[in-house]
Amino acid sequence: MSIFGLITAAIFVNKVPQRMLLMMVSVLASLITFTFVLASSVEWFLFTSYLFGFITTCIYKIAISVGSQQLVSAPAVLVTFLLFSGNVGSTIAPMLSGWVVQLFGIQSAIIMTWVGYTFVALVFGLCLLLEKRELRAHA
């Protein structure tokens, strides 16, 4: 599902306002990871895993797109830095989740993921509100 998320995000990035798209997929990621916590059957957990792979890749692609728009004439090194940061996060995540599982049990990694995506959605929403406020102040 990850490859479909990448393709879908690449299409939507050119058709839909990217900030709102990133907000939508961040909220969806939070909801999907919350369903992990509530999953009562293996089938439901696996279905949610497919959705999670799809939405995670969407977030990654859209976040890089939004990040590269933060500067009027973004240097190529910015995209490289964004990709590098994503790779570092992908490398650290298994170590961190393994440590959390060792300390608190298997369910804790899923809860940690849900808390993380919820936090990202809230912070990004706050950034959008601040950005709109700033634009209104200068208009």
Side-chain angles (χ1 to χ4, degrees):
M1 289 302 286
S2 183
I3 189 70
F4 294 117
L6 181 62
I7 294 167
T8 303
I11 292 168
F12 280 144
V13 156
N14 295 316
K15 308 259 185 225
V16 179
Q18 295 163 1
R19 284 171 168 72
M20 293 313 294
L21 186 60
L22 185 57
M23 187 68 219
M24 288 180 352
V25 295
S26 296
V27 169
L28 276 173
S30 177
L31 293 172
I32 289 168
T33 53
F34 186 68
T35 60
F36 275 142
V37 176
L38 300 177
S40 58
S41 69
V42 172
E43 293 81 16
W44 183 248
F45 186 84
L46 291 175
F47 174 72
T48 308
S49 296
Y50 286 123
L51 293 176
F52 182 70
F54 177 84
I55 206 75
T56 300
T57 306
C58 281
I59 288 173
Y60 186 65
K61 170 68 177 130
I62 298 165
I64 289 172
S65 181
V66 169
S68 66
Q69 293 177 353
Q70 295 305 104
L71 300 174
V72 175
S73 57
V77 72
L78 177 61
V79 175
T80 302
F81 175 74
L82 293 170
L83 290 169
F84 173 75
S85 298
N87 287 331
V88 168
S90 296
T91 302
I92 293 172
M95 180 190 70
L96 181 60
S97 64
W99 178 70
V100 169
V101 165
Q102 185 179 16
L103 290 175
F104 303 107
I106 293 172
Q107 188 80 1
S108 63
I110 296 168
I111 293 169
M112 181 181 77
T113 303
W114 172 65
V115 168
Y117 276 116
T118 301
F119 180 74
V120 166
L122 290 172
V123 168
F124 189 67
L126 179 63
C127 288
L128 287 176
L129 289 173
L130 291 172
E131 184 179 61
K132 282 185 180 183
R133 188 173 131 198
E134 186 72 22
L135 288 173
R136 276 190 237 137
H138 289 93

